[in-house]
Amino acid sequence: MPTVRAEVVGEGTREVRLDAGATYGDLLAALEFSPHEATVLLDDAPVPEDRPVDPDVDRVRVLRLVKGGAPRGDEIRVRTAAPDDHLDVMRIVDGAMLTADAEAVRERIDAGEVLVATVDGRTVGTLVRDGDRVTAVATRRRFRDRGVGSALVSAALAERDHLVAEFDPDVRPFYESLGFEIERREDGERLRGRLVP
């Protein structure tokens, strides 16, 4: 009976005991995920759920595609931003000291490309994208490191076949924890990341 260490991205590592001949779908089930909400990554590439777990594999990464972890028992809900969310979105982006043009954010909201995360009805985080490009991910200070950013990125990825982002080196650990492949831009100052399910 093999034991596999499964790193659930942004949520920690769990050990899972599997029956001989178990598939990666069985591994997800043991972690209480459906194949529609998470995927198993081997060497940073998705693995089909019906593939048997290789007996030589002792570590995998699991990327949640639908929902991030819940902060201290409260449930994070992610939804598409409505026009009335514009002020909250701008306050959260500004509070994270990110640069965003208010009119451009309004246009992205109108295009259905802004997500908000709420806890108990309060907006606590936001993700702004332009097509596949994430232009901002931000969380209210007291909700940081509680799965809000992960939930937003997972929800955005569920809508696209990949995501890309450009960001400063100081937030590299956040993007790495989500599974982004990261490289330095030609100008050498900022980083570029790409995430696929």
Side-chain angles (χ1 to χ4, degrees), residues 166-176 182-185 187-192:
E166 290 187 1
F167 46 90
D168 292 327
D170 60 328
V171 294
R172 180 181 185 139
F174 169 72
Y175 284 95
E176 282 180 328
I182 298 172
E183 62 183 28
R184 190 166 292 281
R185 279 186 12 179
D187 63 17
E189 292 181 21
R190 289 176 53 89
L191 302 175
R192 177 180 296 129

